[in-house]
PDB file of all heavy atoms in Angstrom:
ATOM      1  N   LYS A 117      -2.216  -4.446   5.637  1.00  0.00           N
ATOM      2  CA  LYS A 117      -3.398  -5.258   5.373  1.00  0.00           C
ATOM      3  C   LYS A 117      -3.932  -5.151   3.947  1.00  0.00           C
ATOM      4  O   LYS A 117      -4.742  -5.962   3.536  1.00  0.00           O
ATOM      5  CB  LYS A 117      -4.515  -4.885   6.349  1.00  0.00           C
ATOM      6  CG  LYS A 117      -4.101  -5.065   7.799  1.00  0.00           C
ATOM      7  CD  LYS A 117      -5.283  -5.382   8.655  1.00  0.00           C
ATOM      8  CE  LYS A 117      -4.892  -5.739  10.065  1.00  0.00           C
ATOM      9  NZ  LYS A 117      -4.638  -7.134  10.263  1.00  0.00           N
ATOM     10  N   THR A 118      -3.509  -4.125   3.204  1.00  0.00           N
ATOM     11  CA  THR A 118      -4.058  -3.924   1.873  1.00  0.00           C
ATOM     12  C   THR A 118      -3.067  -3.222   0.956  1.00  0.00           C
ATOM     13  O   THR A 118      -2.169  -2.518   1.421  1.00  0.00           O
ATOM     14  CB  THR A 118      -5.375  -3.107   1.932  1.00  0.00           C
ATOM     15  OG1 THR A 118      -5.935  -3.025   0.634  1.00  0.00           O
ATOM     16  CG2 THR A 118      -5.152  -1.707   2.475  1.00  0.00           C
ATOM     17  N   ASP A 119      -3.279  -3.410  -0.347  1.00  0.00           N
ATOM     18  CA  ASP A 119      -2.504  -2.690  -1.356  1.00  0.00           C
ATOM     19  C   ASP A 119      -3.257  -1.470  -1.883  1.00  0.00           C
ATOM     20  O   ASP A 119      -2.758  -0.766  -2.750  1.00  0.00           O
ATOM     21  CB  ASP A 119      -2.172  -3.623  -2.528  1.00  0.00           C
ATOM     22  CG  ASP A 119      -1.142  -4.660  -2.138  1.00  0.00           C
ATOM     23  OD1 ASP A 119      -0.308  -4.375  -1.263  1.00  0.00           O
ATOM     24  OD2 ASP A 119      -1.181  -5.775  -2.707  1.00  0.00           O
ATOM     25  N   ILE A 120      -4.470  -1.253  -1.394  1.00  0.00           N
ATOM     26  CA  ILE A 120      -5.251  -0.098  -1.838  1.00  0.00           C
ATOM     27  C   ILE A 120      -4.545   1.174  -1.356  1.00  0.00           C
ATOM     28  O   ILE A 120      -4.248   1.307  -0.177  1.00  0.00           O
ATOM     29  CB  ILE A 120      -6.695  -0.151  -1.285  1.00  0.00           C
ATOM     30  CG1 ILE A 120      -7.405  -1.416  -1.783  1.00  0.00           C
ATOM     31  CG2 ILE A 120      -7.471   1.108  -1.698  1.00  0.00           C
ATOM     32  CD1 ILE A 120      -8.763  -1.646  -1.147  1.00  0.00           C
ATOM     33  N   PRO A 121      -4.269   2.105  -2.279  1.00  0.00           N
ATOM     34  CA  PRO A 121      -3.547   3.318  -1.877  1.00  0.00           C
ATOM     35  C   PRO A 121      -4.422   4.284  -1.077  1.00  0.00           C
ATOM     36  O   PRO A 121      -5.648   4.277  -1.188  1.00  0.00           O
ATOM     37  CB  PRO A 121      -3.138   3.948  -3.215  1.00  0.00           C
ATOM     38  CG  PRO A 121      -4.129   3.439  -4.193  1.00  0.00           C
ATOM     39  CD  PRO A 121      -4.521   2.068  -3.717  1.00  0.00           C
ATOM     40  N   PHE A 122      -3.761   5.109  -0.287  1.00  0.00           N
ATOM     41  CA  PHE A 122      -4.406   6.154   0.504  1.00  0.00           C
ATOM     42  C   PHE A 122      -3.908   7.515   0.043  1.00  0.00           C
ATOM     43  O   PHE A 122      -2.734   7.662  -0.300  1.00  0.00           O
ATOM     44  CB  PHE A 122      -4.053   6.001   1.990  1.00  0.00           C
ATOM     45  CG  PHE A 122      -4.916   5.040   2.737  1.00  0.00           C
ATOM     46  CD1 PHE A 122      -4.719   3.668   2.613  1.00  0.00           C
ATOM     47  CD2 PHE A 122      -5.927   5.484   3.579  1.00  0.00           C
ATOM     48  CE1 PHE A 122      -5.507   2.771   3.302  1.00  0.00           C
ATOM     49  CE2 PHE A 122      -6.718   4.587   4.279  1.00  0.00           C
ATOM     50  CZ  PHE A 122      -6.509   3.226   4.143  1.00  0.00           C
ATOM     51  N   VAL A 123      -4.788   8.491   0.076  1.00  0.00           N
ATOM     52  CA  VAL A 123      -4.439   9.887  -0.122  1.00  0.00           C
ATOM     53  C   VAL A 123      -4.812  10.601   1.173  1.00  0.00           C
ATOM     54  O   VAL A 123      -5.934  10.445   1.667  1.00  0.00           O
ATOM     55  CB  VAL A 123      -5.217  10.515  -1.307  1.00  0.00           C
ATOM     56  CG1 VAL A 123      -4.983  12.025  -1.369  1.00  0.00           C
ATOM     57  CG2 VAL A 123      -4.827   9.850  -2.617  1.00  0.00           C
ATOM     58  N   LEU A 124      -3.875  11.352   1.733  1.00  0.00           N
ATOM     59  CA  LEU A 124      -4.144  12.159   2.926  1.00  0.00           C
ATOM     60  C   LEU A 124      -4.677  13.507   2.449  1.00  0.00           C
ATOM     61  O   LEU A 124      -4.025  14.204   1.671  1.00  0.00           O
ATOM     62  CB  LEU A 124      -2.864  12.354   3.743  1.00  0.00           C
ATOM     63  CG  LEU A 124      -2.221  11.073   4.275  1.00  0.00           C
ATOM     64  CD1 LEU A 124      -0.848  11.373   4.871  1.00  0.00           C
ATOM     65  CD2 LEU A 124      -3.112  10.413   5.311  1.00  0.00           C
ATOM     66  N   TRP A 125      -5.891  13.867   2.910  1.00  0.00           N
ATOM     67  CA  TRP A 125      -6.561  15.065   2.419  1.00  0.00           C
ATOM     68  C   TRP A 125      -6.811  16.025   3.578  1.00  0.00           C
ATOM     69  O   TRP A 125      -7.426  15.648   4.577  1.00  0.00           O
ATOM     70  CB  TRP A 125      -7.890  14.660   1.785  1.00  0.00           C
ATOM     71  CG  TRP A 125      -8.554  15.753   1.023  1.00  0.00           C
ATOM     72  CD1 TRP A 125      -9.582  16.540   1.464  1.00  0.00           C
ATOM     73  CD2 TRP A 125      -8.265  16.180  -0.306  1.00  0.00           C
ATOM     74  NE1 TRP A 125      -9.928  17.439   0.496  1.00  0.00           N
ATOM     75  CE2 TRP A 125      -9.143  17.230  -0.609  1.00  0.00           C
ATOM     76  CE3 TRP A 125      -7.337  15.780  -1.265  1.00  0.00           C
ATOM     77  CZ2 TRP A 125      -9.122  17.889  -1.828  1.00  0.00           C
ATOM     78  CZ3 TRP A 125      -7.324  16.430  -2.478  1.00  0.00           C
ATOM     79  CH2 TRP A 125      -8.207  17.465  -2.748  1.00  0.00           C
ATOM     80  N   ASP A 126      -6.351  17.251   3.443  1.00  0.00           N
ATOM     81  CA  ASP A 126      -6.556  18.269   4.473  1.00  0.00           C
ATOM     82  C   ASP A 126      -8.059  18.440   4.688  1.00  0.00           C
ATOM     83  O   ASP A 126      -8.790  18.813   3.779  1.00  0.00           O
ATOM     84  CB  ASP A 126      -5.930  19.585   4.008  1.00  0.00           C
ATOM     85  CG  ASP A 126      -6.003  20.690   5.051  1.00  0.00           C
ATOM     86  OD1 ASP A 126      -6.814  20.598   5.995  1.00  0.00           O
ATOM     87  OD2 ASP A 126      -5.244  21.658   4.907  1.00  0.00           O
ATOM     88  N   GLU A 127      -8.506  18.126   5.890  1.00  0.00           N
ATOM     89  CA  GLU A 127      -9.943  18.148   6.151  1.00  0.00           C
ATOM     90  C   GLU A 127     -10.407  19.350   6.973  1.00  0.00           C
ATOM     91  O   GLU A 127     -11.511  19.341   7.514  1.00  0.00           O
ATOM     92  CB  GLU A 127     -10.364  16.871   6.874  1.00  0.00           C
ATOM     93  CG  GLU A 127      -9.870  16.780   8.295  1.00  0.00           C
ATOM     94  CD  GLU A 127     -10.632  15.759   9.124  1.00  0.00           C
ATOM     95  OE1 GLU A 127     -11.020  14.726   8.615  1.00  0.00           O
ATOM     96  OE2 GLU A 127     -10.831  16.031  10.312  1.00  0.00           O
ATOM     97  N   ARG A 128      -9.612  20.382   7.057  1.00  0.00           N
ATOM     98  CA  ARG A 128     -10.012  21.541   7.861  1.00  0.00           C
ATOM     99  C   ARG A 128     -11.416  22.001   7.487  1.00  0.00           C
ATOM    100  O   ARG A 128     -11.730  22.168   6.311  1.00  0.00           O
ATOM    101  CB  ARG A 128      -9.033  22.698   7.673  1.00  0.00           C
ATOM    102  CG  ARG A 128      -7.783  22.520   8.495  1.00  0.00           C
ATOM    103  CD  ARG A 128      -6.845  23.673   8.311  1.00  0.00           C
ATOM    104  NE  ARG A 128      -5.911  23.335   7.235  1.00  0.00           N
ATOM    105  CZ  ARG A 128      -4.792  23.983   6.992  1.00  0.00           C
ATOM    106  NH1 ARG A 128      -4.447  25.015   7.717  1.00  0.00           N
ATOM    107  NH2 ARG A 128      -4.007  23.607   6.025  1.00  0.00           N
ATOM    108  N   LEU A 129     -12.242  22.142   8.494  1.00  0.00           N
ATOM    109  CA  LEU A 129     -13.610  22.646   8.396  1.00  0.00           C
ATOM    110  C   LEU A 129     -14.597  21.689   7.716  1.00  0.00           C
ATOM    111  O   LEU A 129     -15.745  22.063   7.499  1.00  0.00           O
ATOM    112  CB  LEU A 129     -13.659  24.025   7.714  1.00  0.00           C
ATOM    113  CG  LEU A 129     -12.867  25.125   8.424  1.00  0.00           C
ATOM    114  CD1 LEU A 129     -12.947  26.420   7.640  1.00  0.00           C
ATOM    115  CD2 LEU A 129     -13.368  25.335   9.840  1.00  0.00           C
ATOM    116  N   SER A 130     -14.208  20.458   7.388  1.00  0.00           N
ATOM    117  CA  SER A 130     -15.159  19.533   6.761  1.00  0.00           C
ATOM    118  C   SER A 130     -16.311  19.191   7.691  1.00  0.00           C
ATOM    119  O   SER A 130     -17.466  19.138   7.267  1.00  0.00           O
ATOM    120  CB  SER A 130     -14.457  18.256   6.279  1.00  0.00           C
ATOM    121  OG  SER A 130     -13.909  17.546   7.370  1.00  0.00           O
ATOM    122  N   THR A 131     -16.036  18.985   8.965  1.00  0.00           N
ATOM    123  CA  THR A 131     -17.097  18.660   9.914  1.00  0.00           C
ATOM    124  C   THR A 131     -18.007  19.868  10.120  1.00  0.00           C
ATOM    125  O   THR A 131     -19.232  19.721  10.201  1.00  0.00           O
ATOM    126  CB  THR A 131     -16.504  18.171  11.253  1.00  0.00           C
ATOM    127  OG1 THR A 131     -15.705  17.017  10.987  1.00  0.00           O
ATOM    128  CG2 THR A 131     -17.592  17.810  12.249  1.00  0.00           C
ATOM    129  N   VAL A 132     -17.436  21.061  10.163  1.00  0.00           N
ATOM    130  CA  VAL A 132     -18.234  22.279  10.300  1.00  0.00           C
ATOM    131  C   VAL A 132     -19.162  22.426   9.098  1.00  0.00           C
ATOM    132  O   VAL A 132     -20.361  22.705   9.248  1.00  0.00           O
ATOM    133  CB  VAL A 132     -17.321  23.524  10.439  1.00  0.00           C
ATOM    134  CG1 VAL A 132     -18.123  24.810  10.389  1.00  0.00           C
ATOM    135  CG2 VAL A 132     -16.506  23.440  11.715  1.00  0.00           C
TER     136      VAL A 132
END
Side-chain angles (χ1 to χ4, degrees):
K117 302 209 173 271
T118 185
D119 289 330
I120 299 172
F122 275 78
V123 172
L124 299 171
W125 191 260
D126 184 342
E127 70 162 36
R128 280 181 267 195
L129 300 178
S130 63
T131 301
V132 172

